[in-house]
Amino acid sequence: MASKNKKIANMVFLIVVFALTLYSVFKGEDLHAVMRAIIRVNPWYLLPGIAGVVIFIWGESIIIYYMFGTLKIRTKRWTCFQYSCVGFFFSAITPSASGGQPMQIYYMRKKNIPIPVSTLVLMIVTITYKSVLVVIGLFVAIFQRGFVHRYLGGIVPVFYLGVALNVFCCIAMSILAFHPALAKWIMMKCLKILERIHILKHKPERTRRLASSMDQYNATALYLRTHGKVIINVLIITFLQRFALFFVTWFVYKAFGLHGAHIYDVVMLQAVVSVSVDMLPLPGGMGISENLFLVIFKSIFTAGLLLPGMVLSRGIAYYVQLLFSAGMTLFTHLTIGQKATDKL
């Protein structure tokens, strides 16, 4: 578990980012007009949007359950859904989504799932999760030049930075997964360089821990080489999972009674937002996601509905997800965290 000081620091950081987001988005805006527009929406269109959030979380649980099955780990679908909720909650409130997987491993260990197994499964989940964003980003950047010029004029540098960061992340994870020996050599070499230029002090224990942590990726490499069909299936599920969340904005668009924009444009623009912010060190992409929405959807949410559209779309896709996963995380802590024997 994270230390008390780290928890406090993360909470303070989250509150500060949230406050700055509210200020940057609503500064000089008529909040009463925004609320009036939101109140008038057709709620029946919001229900499938909320369902998309649940499907998004549920999709990861299906992947976890499926991969555990291939590793002969017996577990329940409901328990895997709890693991997913824990991951999404802590990812949403920590910078760069750094807290999700450690907490998932913590609760998996309480169910007697070995740490090397949970690490392997979550490593592959991360690789496929990022790979989907890379495919979307490269597809838009290379084959959708007209789309880029039409909608992304104001954020092209941010979009390309997001694509580049995701590509770099996937390459780094692929090296870890497919070439663990090379990855270990690179990391050990970098550590020696940092010690040589006195950025880090030489500590044999640190070197030992790094070498040990790098060795765990041998299992990932072996799994990827011997379970090609499984990886393809996981990629397909991940595509469906991610687009379930992207479709939230389309349902919000319809809830306002708007028409004229093609479903492809709305969904892909939301995908562009995700590609752009996914690697930024902000909890849930908070702040930048809202502002990017206001830039690229201005020709979609017309008739003064841009800000209300952003509030509803972001409110469902992020804040409903945050609240739902928070409630499930509390339930998980009470059912798994308190009742199971802690073997960490």
Side-chain angles (χ1 to χ4, degrees):
M1 296 289 282
S3 67
K4 184 177 180 180
N5 289 338
K6 187 174 182 180
K7 290 180 182 178
I8 294 174
N10 283 337
M11 186 57 64
V12 171
F13 182 72
L14 179 67
I15 293 172
V16 170
V17 173
F18 180 68
L20 291 174
T21 299
L22 291 179
Y23 178 78
S24 65
V25 169
F26 293 107
K27 179 184 177 182
E29 298 291 343
D30 185 349
L31 297 183
H32 293 291
V34 172
M35 292 308 300
R36 285 196 300 270
I38 292 175
I39 291 172
R40 291 198 296 266
V41 301
N42 184 343
W44 293 107
Y45 277 108
L46 299 183
L47 293 179
I50 295 173
V53 173
V54 178
I55 292 171
F56 175 68
I57 299 173
W58 176 69
E60 181 177 291
S61 73
I62 292 299
I63 294 171
I64 293 173
Y65 177 81
Y66 173 55
M67 292 190 64
F68 276 160
T70 66
L71 293 166
K72 311 303 180 184
I73 300 292
R74 298 183 64 182
T75 186
K76 297 179 180 179
R77 290 182 176 86
W78 171 248
T79 304
C80 291
F81 184 71
Q82 290 178 273
Y83 296 148
S84 295
C85 290
V86 167
F88 283 115
F89 172 67
F90 283 100
S91 293
I93 65 172
T94 52
S96 300
S98 58
Q101 292 193 350
M103 294 307 298
Q104 287 177 302
I105 292 172
Y106 173 80
Y107 285 104
M108 288 176 183
R109 187 69 186 100
K110 284 180 172 290
K111 282 291 189 178
N112 298 321
I113 297 174
I115 290 178
V117 172
S118 58
T119 301
L120 165 65
V121 169
L122 295 177
M123 176 73 172
I124 293 173
V125 168
T126 301
I127 291 174
T128 55
Y129 195 80
K130 297 290 185 185
S131 297
V132 169
L133 287 184
V134 167
V135 171
I136 294 171
L138 291 178
F139 172 76
V140 172
I142 298 172
F143 300 106
Q144 300 288 284
R145 303 300 303 168
F147 181 88
V148 171
H149 290 303
R150 181 178 180 184
Y151 293 111
L152 309 185
I155 67 144
V156 167
V158 179
F159 171 62
Y160 285 142
L161 174 62
V163 174
L165 289 175
N166 276 288
V167 169
F168 175 79
C169 181
C170 277
I171 291 174
M173 289 189 297
S174 296
I175 291 175
L176 286 172
F178 290 102
H179 302 285
L182 174 61
K184 182 177 180 179
W185 181 85
I186 292 173
M187 295 300 293
M188 299 302 293
K189 199 73 174 177
C190 288
L191 178 61
K192 289 181 180 179
I193 292 173
L194 292 174
E195 291 175 346
R196 190 174 301 148
I197 61 179
H198 304 295
I199 292 179
L200 293 175
K201 292 182 179 180
H202 175 67
K203 293 182 178 180
E205 178 62 19
R206 182 195 292 125
T207 303
R208 186 195 65 77
R209 288 200 310 268
L210 178 60
S212 176
S213 66
M214 296 305 298
D215 287 340
Q216 72 184 3
Y217 293 108
N218 286 311
T220 307
L222 177 62
Y223 186 94
L224 290 171
R225 285 196 298 267
T226 57
H227 293 78
K229 184 178 178 180
V230 172
I231 301 304
I232 292 174
N233 291 336
V234 169
L235 277 170
I236 293 172
I237 297 172
T238 305
F239 263 101
L240 297 175
Q241 174 203 8
R242 300 230 60 164
F243 273 92
L245 196 64
F246 298 155
F247 266 90
V248 169
T249 304
W250 169 253
F251 290 118
V252 169
Y253 176 81
K254 299 301 292 182
F256 281 107
L258 294 169
H259 56 85
H262 196 278
I263 186 173
Y264 174 86
D265 291 347
V266 177
V267 173
M268 288 305 291
L269 283 174
Q270 186 57 60
V272 164
V273 173
S274 294
V275 171
S276 302
V277 308
D278 188 74
M279 291 297 296
L280 298 180
L282 294 168
M286 193 184 297
I288 186 67
S289 294
E290 288 82 359
N291 284 282
L292 286 181
F293 188 104
L294 295 176
V295 172
I296 67 177
F297 279 99
K298 59 186 176 183
S299 62
I300 302 293
F301 285 86
T302 55
L305 295 174
L306 178 59
L307 186 55
M310 184 280 293
V311 171
L312 262 187
S313 177
R314 183 66 171 156
I316 294 174
Y318 177 68
Y319 294 99
V320 167
Q321 178 189 154
L322 176 63
L323 293 174
F324 178 81
S325 59
M328 284 299 303
T329 297
L330 176 60
F331 177 79
T332 300
H333 185 68
L334 295 175
T335 56
I336 296 178
Q338 298 294 333
K339 295 180 180 180
T341 301
D342 185 359
K343 299 197 176 194
L344 279 177

